[in-house]
Structures are given as C-alpha cells and as structure tokens.
Amino acid sequence: MTGRDTRAPVVGLDLGGTKIAAALVGADGTVLVRHTRPTPATGGAEAVLDALAEAAREVRVPGVTRLGVAAAGVIDPVSGTVTSATDTIRGWAGTALAAGLAARTGLRVACDNDVRAAAATELADLGGDGTLIYAAVGTGVGGAVAAGGRMLQGAGGVAGHLGHLPSPEADGLPCTCGATGHLEAIAAGPAITAHYARLGGEPADRLQTVAARAALGDPHATAPLRREQDAPGRTLSVPQPPHHEAPPG
C-alpha cells in the first residue's frame, strides 16, 4: 500500500483463552511497551473485542496506524473472520475480528491464528525453503506446519491444529471442540487440572496450583503432568522404519 510509514511502530495483540497480551513494537522488532489483562472468555465475542481494543489503547502512541492480532481459533487472514473455534472463548466462532477491531480502534487490522503467527517468526529464521512443525501447549493445544518456506493453511484453514488429533491418552475424554479423545483433552492446562481432580486430588483452580503440588510430591499431581508430557510426544512423533542390517558380503 502506498503512503505506509514502515518506520512507525505497530500494535500487536495476542489473544488466548486466559489472557490478552498487547505490545507496541518498533520497526526493528523491539518491544517498546507491554500490557496484559485477563481474557473475558465467558463474556462473549463483543466483550472480548472490547477488551482487545482497550489493551491496544494501553500501548498505542500517536502515529500508530496498524494493528496485528494473533488470536485463538481458526482465523481466515483474508477476511479477518474467526471461521471456527472451540468453546474456550464463548461465542467466538463467526466473529468479524478484523472489522470489529478496526471499528473500535480506527486502525488497519491484520490477523491470523495465534500459533501460526508465532510459528511464522521461527520460519523466517530458517531461510526460503524452511520446513517445520510447531506445537504450542497452553490453555489449548495448537500447532502450525510449514513446508518449502510457506506456512500451510489447509483447505479448511486448520492445517497444523494439532490439539484435535487423536491421542490414546485422551481416549473417551471430552474435548473443547465437542468430540472426544483429542490431544487437547489431556494436554491443555485446564485438561490437566481436570485430570488431577479425577485422580482424587484436592480442588485446584488452575494448572499452576497442580504444578506446585507436584513439586511437593503430591502423587495425584505428578501423574497428570507426566501424562501431559507423554501425550504430545506420542502424537507428534514420527514412527521410524524398522532397522534392517545390510546383507553380508
């Protein structure tokens, strides 16, 4: 686009199921200002858009014209719409993310899935033909896949969404997408906390509480954490072909 000042800082927003992180980023990639706030995940899409706009205002300075958003859910980067999402953020599917934030901030808005956006920075360091599989485990489980230097979207925009691959460790457990047996149902933070309770642990409000109890030797806490470590590794591992010794001679 003509007239764009590439020297001006931009506002970046990272939307997860638990928190919103905002930053003012200089043209050289330096983070100049930071701000975080909780995600009003149960308040509906309008409440989340309002919170994102407020977070942007906390770091914005005069001269900023552009806003980049890395958001949870399946994001169409062309239309800026959340095409599908789990119920981690209530009513998030179908949200006009780019248009909603542009109306609230007056800025030009570009957006993509949060994990895909993070993976893109790693891909940039691999050169023009880089290939990677990127996994992110947090409130949910996400991922991204790139080949030949290009981030893959997939026909439905869900390429690399690793959290909804089958996981033997999650067999029969309900996932946030409504199905059962997915990796996110055993490896995400809330899933680990829920598994701790199923094993007989004392009530815990979040994963950090479970981790603290595991550090003190609580066996109900250490078991789900070990399972969380095993599940992503098993899901992401590539089976190796059987080894055959070379024939004699």
Side-chain angles (χ1 to χ4, degrees):
M1 301 175 87
T2 59
R4 176 182 295 177
D5 184 359
T6 57
R7 298 169 299 171
V10 300
V11 171
L13 295 175
D14 177 28
L15 169 66
T18 305
K19 69 178 176 66
I20 294 169
L24 180 69
V25 184
D28 63 352
T30 302
V31 177
L32 306 173
V33 185
R34 298 177 188 269
H35 170 77
T36 61
R37 63 176 55 210
T39 300
T42 61
E46 293 299 312
V48 173
L49 288 172
D50 289 342
L52 286 167
E54 286 294 332
R57 280 190 277 272
E58 289 289 337
V59 300
R60 183 177 177 178
V61 295
V64 168
T65 61
R66 292 175 290 157
L67 169 64
V69 189
V74 179
I75 312 297
D76 180 349
V78 176
S79 67
T81 301
V82 183
T83 58
S84 65
T86 68
D87 61 2
T88 301
I89 298 177
R90 182 179 297 169
W92 194 231
T95 300
L97 176 58
L101 280 176
R104 286 167 168 79
T105 64
L107 301 175
R108 292 186 215 140
V109 179
C111 51
D112 202 348
N113 168 262
D114 52 356
V115 179
R116 189 173 290 141
T121 64
E122 302 292 336
L123 181 62
D125 290 336
L126 297 180
D129 61 348
T131 296
L132 62 77
I133 297 176
Y134 187 97
V137 181
T139 306
V141 176
V145 177
R150 184 170 65 91
M151 196 65 64
L152 304 181
Q153 299 278 346
V158 295
H161 278 251
L162 305 172
H164 304 287
L165 293 176
S167 169
E169 288 80 4
D171 187 35
L173 297 179
C175 183
T176 55
C177 70
T180 60
H182 290 174
L183 179 61
E184 188 165 296
I186 194 65
I192 298 170
T193 305
H195 190 47
Y196 168 68
R198 286 194 298 270
L199 292 176
E202 294 294 324
D205 57 343
R206 55 183 183 155
L207 176 59
Q208 289 87 337
T209 302
V210 179
R213 292 175 184 174
L216 296 175
D218 180 349
H220 298 305
T222 55
L225 290 174
R226 288 197 194 99
R227 197 169 187 180
E228 183 275 339
Q229 293 170 349
D230 292 342
R234 188 192 303 269
T235 301
L236 296 174
S237 64
V238 178
Q240 298 298 311
H243 174 71
H244 298 289
E245 294 185 2

